[in-house]
Structures are given as structure tokens and as C-alpha cells.
Amino acid sequence: MLVVSVVVSSAAVMFYGTSLMRSSFMEEASLQAGSTLRLAVAALDGHLKRYEPLPRLIADHENIEELLSQPQDPGLRLAANRYLKMINTLLDSSDIYVIDMTGDTIAASNFEGPASFVGQNFSYRPYFQEAAQGRPARFYALGTTSAKRGYYFSAPVEVGGSILGVIVFKVDIDVIEATWQGGEYKIFVSDPEGIIFMSGNPDWLYKSLLALTEERLARTTASRRYSDARLEELPVRRHTLDGYDLMDVQSEGTSREYLVLSEYVETADWTVNVLTDTTSVHAQARTTVIAIVLSLCLAGMALAVVLQRKARRDQWLAMEIERKAELERRVEERTADLARVNLQLRQTQADLIQAGKLAGLGQMSAALSHEFNQPLAAVKNYADSATLLIERGRAPEARDNLARISSLIDRMASLSRHLRNFARKPNEKLGPVALADVLNDTLEIVAARLATADASLTLDLGAVPPVVNAGSVRLQQVLVNIITNAADAVEGLDDRAISLTARATGGRAVIEVRDHGPGVPPAIAERIFDPFFTTKGPGKGLGLGLSISYNIVKDFGGDLTVSHHPEGGAVFRIDLALADALSEAAE
Ligand code: ADP
């Protein structure tokens, strides 16, 4: 679009600009030529004006009057001739002469020269004809005798009320013409017939700007203005452009165009012309237009560069925005993904915890049903045999049976109490928990497992068993878990001893469970509290026990750690806050 607009505007500038510029430069040229014209007219006018009153002055001179009264008197002729010669020299004019009423010249300033006017008849000259009729006249012509151009002023010579002759005063015009030569302008003077009478360029003299029609030639011939000079038409073609007069002149095979400025001078009855060669006008117009077009192209190019830069910057900005948006979108996507994965993880974890709990519950149910079935079967046996013993009258033995039944029922009641503990809400409040009580309940639960593993558990709670800040059911869950793991670890080994110690130091209670199993290598210790970390075979371990225990201890504001005993086996250490006296009192 830019290229098209530059091309179109360039073409428009070329088309309209050229004529506009030409018109502007033409006006400038015309103004300059106008002042040249005014100067030329003023110079001519000034030159001639000086001589205008002189013929009448001379006409009044007595020598002239006397001569015309007695034209044939040689003395008077000589006196007049000398007088005319004298004042001609004095006035720096071309010629001064006296003509009688027949047109014959009777005295002249050039009476001595070879081309003397004396004896010549000038009756055909309009200046003679008018002066002879009493009117001072002016005329310009090429001298028939002198073959010199001049400007003629004539005046009648009146003696005693009648016109006796005419005095003529011829002025040289060469001086003025000489100043027109070789200048920037072509200055020339043409007569009413369009024939060039004066010119800075001598070649153009006596050339006609207008067609030399018979009428014109006849008029010129009558006054013999151009004497015997050969008149020719100047090969010109006149036309106007933007209101200016132009003239094409053919010379030596080439045509030149000029701007024409003319002024008709009424007093002299001629037209002064100034011609300006329009080549420079056209060249200036062309140069200016080319400069404008070039500037346009340059401006177009600059604009193109600016636009291109802007486009590139816009593109870059757009890309940047796009990039940022993309980045934000990806961050959002990732965040959403993460949130989703987190949610899934939490869900899975929750599900698995639930599954773990259920599995634990299942295990516990199995264990409990085993625990209940055995005493129930025993109770049944004791009851049956008690009945038989009573039937047989063996009362003491029957009583013994009943005592055993009672003891078994006690045991089952204890188990059921434990179950009740589990039925409690998991989010029980924290409070002072006597470790000894918790361990009692724990032992009841783990006893069966310890028995199957054939493991022994020794307790050492110190002189004063600690009371810790915890939830009893959950603490019990932790202990069950750790002791069960210890039983798993020692099962089938030679040394199946498990020891539990508890000590209160510096406001904290430290419970350590140590076994003599394979222990926990550092690589496993790192991950042992992770959910689902288990080394046990499929269907045996879920890997949730320690993870849940860890979280429970953390909930108590405590710490659960594992270490490898220097003498072999694993040590699980539970660090809990001791319950203060106030809480103890409250409990
Ligand atoms: P699970 O018992 O279901 O495997 P836990 O979280 O209770 O899950 O235990 C995780 C793992 O820690 C066990 O699989 C076992 O490898 C290891 N572990 C736990 N207690 C002991 C211990 N006393 N001695 C050796 N390894 C143990």
C-alpha cells in the first residue's frame, strides 16, 4: 500500500507539480523580466526626452530663420551649416538639418562629410510631412543617406506667421542598444508593424515578428523607415502557457522558447520587448519536482522503515504476550494437575488408611474371636462337666469348675473392655494418660501375638511409672503396633526377647521398645515411617502401622524415631510430654 501510494503521489507530483512549479518559476522570471523591461523603457525614454525640446529651440534661431527666408544665399547657408555643426557637436546628437518646404535639405551639420544631407530630399518622411503642417513630430528610421539608424525630432520653422521649413534633429540610438548586448535577456524594440528596429542581438535587426503582409510592406515602404534594408520574417511561433506570453524562435535548426514581456510606449510609438529564455525555468521546475519526488520517496522509505520497525515490535509484543499467556496457562494447568494429584493422593491415602484400619480391625476381630472362642469352649466344657458332677453329687469338683468358668468370664470381660476402647472416637482429647494402664490394655491385645511368636516381653517402667500427655486408645494403638512389629522381627530367631523401658527425664517421658531381631539398616530407617513401606510379604503387611503411629505421636506433640542397637536389634523410641500435676489432679 505504501509503495502504491508513493508511486501514485510521485506520479501526481510529476504531473501537477511540474506545471505548478513551472508556473511559479515563470512568475518569478516574469517579475524579473518586468523590472528589466521597466528599466529599458525608462532608459530609452530618458535618453530621448533630453532632445525633445531642442528642434523648436533651434528653429527659433535667427541663422535658421534667415536661411529659410533666403535659401539660396551661400553666406547664410555656410553660416547655418557651421552653426548646425557646432551645436551638433555640443549636444552630442547624430545630425541636425534644415529642410525647405519641398523636402530638400538646405543645411546640415554633416555638410562637409561624404554622406552630406545637403541636397537630399526627405519629403517622404512622416516627420517632415507633419512638421511642414505645423506639428512637431517624432520618428525613428534607418537613415537613407547615412545608413545609420536614428530617432528623429522635427519642428516647423515659422517666420512671420508662415511655415518656411522644417528643422530635424537626429539622435543616435546605438549607445542605448549597446547596453542590451550579451545580457541575460534579449531586449529589442519593434515598430507597430512588428519589425525589429533595435536589438541587443544584431541578427534580429529588421526581422519581423509578424507576417510581412503587403499592407505592412506598403506602409513601411512609403515612409522608407528601413531604407534599403532587407526585411525578413523571424521564424517565430507565439503561444501562451498559464497566461504567460511565450515565443518559440527557430535559429540554426534549433528552437528556443522565450517568455515575452512587452510595453508599448506611446510617445515613441514603439514596443519595447524583453525575452527570457525559459530553459532555466523548465530546468528549475523539473529539478524541484524531482527533488520533491525524491523527498517523497525518501519519506516513503523512512515511513516504511518506521512501520516495519513498529510491526516488528508489535509482533514481538504480541509474541511476548502470547508467551506469557502460554506460561500462565501452563502454570495453571500444572497447578490444577498438582491439585488433582494431591486430591487423588489424599483420597488414596484416606482410602488406604481406611483399608488399613479395616484390615487391622479384621486382624483384631480374628484375634478376638480366637480369644473369645477358646474361653467360650472351655466355659462350655466346664459347664457341661459341672452338670455331670452335680448329677453325680461331686459338688466340690463342680464348684471348682464354676470358679474356672468365672475366671474365664473375667478374662472375656477384659477383652471386651479393650474392644470398647477401640469403639471410642479417634479424635479423643489429649490428656494425662498413665502409661502403666495403657500398657495393661496393650498387653492383653498383643499377648496372643507374642504367644504365637514365642516371644517374651519384659517391662521396666522405673520407680514411678510416667503419666504422659496423650490419648490412651491411640497411644495403645502405637504400642500395639510397635510390639507386634518386634514380635514379627524376632519370630523364628534364637533370641526372642523384647524389652520395654519407660523413663521420665526433664519434663519428657521416653519409652523405648527394643528387640533382638535383624534391626533396621539405615536405608530402611529412612523410609520406615513412610506410608505403605513394608518389607513383609504380600498379604502380610500393609506398611501403614508405623506411618499411622508416627502421625499419632506427632499429634501428641511427641516424636517417634528408630535406631539400630549397637548389639543388634531395633530400638523404637517414643518421646512424649509428661502430663503436669494440674492435669493429673483433673483426671
Ligand atoms: P507393616 O508391619 O505392615 O509392614 P509397619 O509400618 O508397621 O508396616 O512397618 C514397616 C516396616 O518396618 C516393616 O515391614 C519392617 O520391614 C520394618 N520394621 C518395623 N519394625 C521392625 C523391627 N522391630 N525390626 C525390624 N524391622 C522392623
Side-chain angles (χ1 to χ4, degrees):
M1 241 172 75
L2 191 70
V3 168
V4 167
S5 64
V6 165
V7 167
V8 166
S9 51
S10 297
V13 166
M14 286 288 233
F15 192 74
Y16 297 106
T18 311
S19 82
L20 205 73
M21 281 300 128
R22 193 181 48 217
S23 172
S24 147
F25 284 112
M26 204 64 107
E27 188 184 347
E28 201 178 310
S30 168
L31 282 174
Q32 284 176 5
S35 63
T36 305
L37 176 66
R38 272 192 304 282
L39 277 176
V41 169
L44 274 170
D45 209 36
H47 183 68
L48 297 177
K49 245 197 183 105
R50 286 188 286 159
Y51 300 104
E52 198 170 16
L54 294 179
R56 267 167 292 165
L57 255 169
I58 302 164
D60 286 344
H61 198 271
E62 54 187 31
N63 276 3
I64 307 302
E65 288 184 350
E66 275 173 24
L67 173 67
L68 280 171
S69 308
Q70 294 165 276
Q72 304 307 322
D73 188 320
L76 288 177
R77 278 195 175 208
L78 189 65
N81 278 336
R82 283 194 178 143
Y83 168 67
L84 291 176
K85 185 185 174 185
M86 190 262 290
I87 57 168
N88 189 47
T89 315
L90 207 70
L91 295 173
D92 200 19
S93 46
S94 175
D95 301 289
I96 308 172
Y97 46 104
V98 182
I99 304 173
D100 68 12
M101 290 306 279
T102 62
D104 283 337
T105 308
I106 53 171
S109 58
N110 63 357
F111 70 101
E112 290 166 319
S116 167
F117 290 171
V118 179
Q120 299 290 331
N121 188 287
F122 295 119
S123 57
Y124 53 86
R125 290 297 204 192
Y127 62 77
F128 167 74
Q129 292 159 4
E130 289 212 13
Q133 284 171 31
R135 292 191 300 273
R138 300 165 69 137
F139 192 62
Y140 51 91
L142 174 62
T144 45
T145 313
S146 63
K148 258 184 78 154
R149 280 170 307 154
Y151 199 94
Y152 302 84
F153 296 95
S154 64
V157 184
E158 285 178 57
V159 181
S162 56
I163 300 167
L164 296 185
V166 167
I167 182 105
V168 183
F169 192 95
K170 183 180 175 187
V171 177
D172 236 339
I173 46 146
D174 296 359
V175 208
I176 299 269
E177 200 182 45
T179 63
W180 297 346
Q181 278 170 9
E184 190 185 341
Y185 303 96
K186 288 194 184 301
I187 306 174
F188 64 86
V189 171
S190 55
D191 74 3
E193 309 296 343
I195 299 165
I196 296 173
F197 176 70
M198 290 169 73
S199 169
N201 174 13
D203 291 349
W204 287 12
L205 272 184
Y206 318 128
K207 299 273 160 53
S208 176
L209 298 171
L210 302 172
L212 284 171
T213 57
E214 293 222 351
E215 270 174 50
R216 288 207 176 95
L217 278 174
R219 277 197 293 270
T220 303
T221 315
S223 68
R224 297 197 63 195
R225 196 196 284 271
Y226 296 102
S227 181
D228 300 325
R230 216 161 65 86
L231 300 180
E232 279 175 47
E233 281 177 23
L234 193 66
V236 296
R237 197 177 65 82
R238 299 192 72 145
H239 57 103
T240 56
L241 183 71
D242 305 332
Y244 295 99
D245 270 333
L246 295 176
M247 192 166 91
D248 293 326
V249 182
Q250 305 278 344
S251 82
E252 293 156 10
T254 57
S255 170
R256 270 180 177 254
E257 189 194 64
Y258 296 96
L259 170 68
V260 186
L261 259 84
S262 310
E263 185 176 335
Y264 174 69
V265 184
E266 203 180 357
T267 47
D269 190 30
W270 63 24
T271 303
V272 183
N273 304 273
V274 169
L275 300 193
T276 313
D277 197 327
T278 58
T279 314
S280 75
V281 167
H282 289 297
Q284 271 176 307
R286 244 191 333 268
T287 312
T288 311
V289 166
I290 286 169
I292 291 172
V293 167
L294 279 180
S295 313
L296 248 168
C297 290
L298 269 177
M301 266 159 72
L303 196 67
V305 167
V306 167
L307 284 180
Q308 204 175 356
R309 278 211 189 152
K310 193 180 132 42
R312 227 181 279 162
R313 208 183 44 228
D314 286 355
Q315 203 179 356
W316 184 82
L317 274 176
M319 269 163 66
E320 194 71 352
I321 288 167
E322 171 70 15
R323 216 166 53 79
K324 269 194 192 148
E326 170 72 16
L327 205 70
E328 269 165 30
R329 206 166 48 73
R330 275 160 69 179
V331 166
E332 265 167 30
E333 261 177 34
R334 290 284 155 84
T335 313
D337 282 355
L338 265 176
R340 203 164 43 243
V341 167
N342 259 345
L343 197 72
Q344 277 172 359
L345 249 179
R346 240 176 276 141
Q347 185 61 43
T348 312
Q349 205 168 11
D351 289 353
L352 285 167
I353 288 169
Q354 189 59 27
K357 278 182 186 166
L358 288 174
L361 203 65
Q363 277 179 359
M364 205 165 71
S365 304
L368 284 170
S369 86
H370 176 76
E371 289 295 314
F372 278 117
N373 281 340
Q374 266 188 333
L376 278 174
V379 165
K380 169 85 174 142
N381 280 337
Y382 286 133
D384 287 351
S385 66
T387 311
L388 284 175
L389 288 170
I390 289 168
E391 278 172 7
R392 290 175 196 168
R394 288 157 68 179
E397 282 169 84
R399 196 179 296 121
D400 191 38
N401 269 17
L402 288 175
R404 283 170 197 266
I405 287 171
S406 175
S407 136
L408 282 168
I409 287 171
D410 280 349
R411 183 171 148 71
M412 286 192 285
S414 141
L415 275 170
S416 133
R417 208 171 39 248
H418 175 75
L419 273 177
R420 212 172 47 238
N421 278 351
F422 263 99
R424 273 195 201 166
K425 276 187 187 172
N427 55 348
E428 55 179 347
K429 290 250 165 47
L430 296 187
V433 173
L435 193 58
D437 294 347
V438 175
L439 272 169
N440 278 340
D441 293 342
T442 306
L443 288 179
E444 281 181 23
I445 297 170
V446 297
R449 177 64 195 122
L450 289 173
T452 48
D454 195 17
S456 67
L457 174 65
T458 54
L459 299 179
D460 172 9
L461 303 183
V464 185
V467 176
V468 297
N469 186 40
S472 61
V473 178
R474 282 183 287 165
L475 180 56
Q476 181 189 311
Q477 201 180 337
V478 171
L479 291 169
V480 167
N481 203 356
I482 290 172
I483 296 166
T484 313
N485 275 346
D488 289 346
V490 298
E491 191 171 18
L493 297 180
D494 291 341
D495 191 348
R496 296 183 296 283
I498 301 166
S499 61
L500 186 149
T501 56
R503 290 288 181 275
T505 46
R508 313 277 309 171
V510 176
I511 307 160
E512 284 187 340
V513 178
R514 194 220 156 168
D515 62 53
H516 291 81
V520 182
I524 288 180
E526 272 177 21
R527 304 172 52 204
I528 204 164
F529 298 113
D530 290 353
F532 314 113
F533 175 78
T534 177
T535 58
K536 293 165 191 171
K540 284 190 173 169
L542 275 170
L544 277 174
L546 285 181
S547 158
I548 292 169
S549 301
Y550 184 87
N551 286 319
I552 289 171
V553 175
K554 282 282 169 197
D555 282 348
F556 296 162
D559 218 353
L560 173 60
T561 53
V562 66
S563 58
H564 194 82
H565 198 277
E567 288 160 25
V571 181
F572 283 85
R573 180 189 156 109
I574 305 165
D575 188 322
L576 290 171
L578 282 172
D580 54 28
L582 198 75
S583 307
E584 260 184 279
E587 167 102 340

